[in-house]
């Protein structure tokens, strides 16, 4: 059976050039980057090259780039590292709890951590709402920021609905607050995991202090991420046991995946030329579905979203049933939430948009990538109306 992969926000197929770049480090170039002999230095050099490739992409110094075992750990390190640093500086002083601002639609790697720290009594948190389009309002950031705010953590683009946040504008709000309140030490972290393929990630243009990336969303390997940390920003480590990555990610470096991430990020610049092709196919998919199937609606802003994302609700049918039916026909997509997380709660992202429980449960996320073709989109548009019609007939939601 022909298999069509439309779940590129979950993970991407490894690029051939990336795979080729990684191969030697699983074979003859197996040294431990901390060893002083030739084998070790060979691995160390490869990691340095990769660090420079990431730095070129972010427009920063290579010493500001840290390889972290996943984006989940990088998000955790950024947030917990800032909190630990603040708590240490406050220790013994009767100061207010550190305050963190985040949004209601963050990835669980951010949201669940902030909720945990808040429940644990370590911090105070503000979870910014989004408008119906899925965008955080600048006025809400302005209202939320206060003297004890130590961190604002907002994602660049959302993993479920692909909506892009006004990062540079939020950075301006933070900057002007710091000018008004010189004692303020508020830092700005963004999770740029989903944005990296499509958006400008220059850290100075964005005005961020900390930024997270993941290897496997950019046609690179799984189990590797990046934390960008601006020079002069101090964070505490959260894992102990070695000097690697200057103490922020102890443990023997995974040279293979680090090399893969470096190559993948180098490829992103050339991939950006293909973006209009992806956007055209995505538009064809959205328009095709909305025009040929009744009771369908696009979730999140149409304009302000990643060019590869189409998150659509099909009224009267459960997302999981559509996913399974498409899978049987060889098409891989995902639902906003349920199955993946093992619970039946509706997607927190769709709920934050205010679409309601029923629409949240009936959503499907199609995320295109650089390997998708027009023929594949035509095939999906051909089979989907029949699938929805059949499912609607037997749906308990009807
Ligand atoms: N942040 C976002 C926005 C994501 O979409 C993901 C992956 O789904 C992650 C973080 C976690 O990335 P990783 O799989 O590298 O831990």
């Amino acid at each position: 059976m022909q298999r069509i992969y439309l779940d590129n926000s979950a993970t991407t197929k490894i690029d051939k050039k990336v795979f080729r770049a990684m191969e030697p480090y699983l074979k003859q170039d197996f040294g431990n980057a901390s060893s002083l002999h030739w084998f070790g230095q060979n691995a160390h050099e490869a990691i340095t090259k990769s660090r420079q490739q990431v730095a070129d992409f972010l427009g920063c110094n290579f010493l500001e780039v840290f390889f972290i075992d996943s984006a989940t750990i990088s998000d955790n390190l950024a947030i917990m590292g800032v909190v630990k640093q603040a708590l240490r500086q406050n220790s013994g002083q009767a100061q207010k709890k550190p305050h963190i601002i985040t949004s209601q639609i963050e990835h669980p790697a951010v949201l669940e951590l902030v909720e945990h720290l808040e429940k644990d009594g370590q911090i105070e948190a503000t979870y910014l709402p989004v408008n119906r389009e899925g965008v955080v309002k600048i006025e809400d950031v302005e209202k939320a920021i206060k003297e004890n705010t130590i961190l604002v953590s907002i994602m660049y683009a959302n993993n479920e609905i692909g909506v892009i946040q006004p990062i540079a504008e939020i950075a301006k709000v933070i900057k002007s607050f710091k000018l008004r309140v010189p004692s303020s030490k508020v830092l700005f972290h963004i999770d740029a995991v989903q944005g990296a393929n499509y958006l400008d990630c220059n850290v100075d243009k964005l005005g961020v202090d900390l930024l997270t990336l993941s290897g496997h969303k950019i046609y690179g390997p799984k189990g590797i991420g990046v934390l960008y940390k601006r020079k002069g920003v101090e964070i505490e480590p959260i894992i102990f046991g070695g000097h690697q990555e200057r103490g922020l990610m102890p443990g023997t470096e995974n040279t293979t995946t680090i090399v893969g991430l470096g190559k993948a990020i180098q490829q992103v610049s050339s991939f950006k030329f293909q973006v209009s092709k992806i956007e055209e196919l995505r538009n064809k998919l959205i328009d095709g579905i909305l025009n040929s199937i009744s009771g369908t609606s696009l979730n999140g802003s149409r304009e302000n979203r990643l060019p590869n994302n189409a998150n659509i609700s099909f009224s009267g049918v459960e997302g999981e049933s559509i996913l399974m039916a498409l899978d049987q026909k060889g098409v891989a997509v995902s639902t906003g939430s349920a199955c993946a997380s093992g619970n039946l709660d509706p997607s927190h992202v769709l709920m934050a948009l205010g679409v309601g429980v029923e629409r949240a449960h009936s959503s499907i996320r199609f995320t295109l990538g650089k390997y998708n073709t027009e023929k594949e989109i035509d095939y999906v548009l051909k089979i989907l109306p029949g699938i929805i019609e059949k499912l609607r007939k037997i749906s308990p939601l009807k």
Side-chain angles (χ1 to χ4, degrees), residues 9 70-72 75 107 109 155 157 159 191 193-194 214 216-217 224:
S9 283
S70 69
T72 300
D75 281 337
H107 188 272
M155 69 200 324
N159 46 302
D191 177 327
V193 166
Q194 296 290 345
S214 176
H216 71 106
K217 313 284 184 177
I224 188 68

Side-chain angles (χ1 to χ4, degrees), residues 168-179:
E169 284 174 64
I170 297 173
K172 277 189 204 140
V173 171
I174 296 170
K175 201 171 160 192
S176 78
F177 179 80
K178 278 165 131 178
L179 286 174

Side-chain angles (χ1 to χ4, degrees), residues 8 12 15 57 194-199 217-219 264-279 307-308 368-372:
N8 284 276
T12 47
D15 183 284
F57 178 76
Q194 296 290 345
N197 277 325
Y198 302 102
L199 307 173
K217 313 284 184 177
I218 55 169
Y219 307 92
I265 220 149
Q266 192 198 32
Q267 302 262 105
V268 168
S269 332
S270 51
F271 162 60
K272 287 213 163 106
F273 296 110
Q274 301 176 35
V275 168
S276 52
K277 178 199 126 195
I278 294 177
E279 191 164 18
N308 73 325
L368 283 69
K370 65 179 178 179
Y371 301 117
N372 290 120

Side-chain angles (χ1 to χ4, degrees), residues 3 17 21 24 33 37 89 94 104 125 128 138 143 149 153 155 173 175 191 227 254 261 267 269 274 301 338 384 393:
R3 295 248 168 228
K17 285 188 188 153
H37 45 62
Q89 281 171 350
Q104 291 175 4
L128 299 176
I138 296 297
K143 271 187 234 149
T149 306
S153 183
M155 69 200 324
V173 171
K175 201 171 160 192
D191 177 327
L227 177 66
N254 189 341
L261 188 146
Q267 302 262 105
S269 332
Q274 301 176 35
S301 164
L384 200 52
K393 279 193 190 134

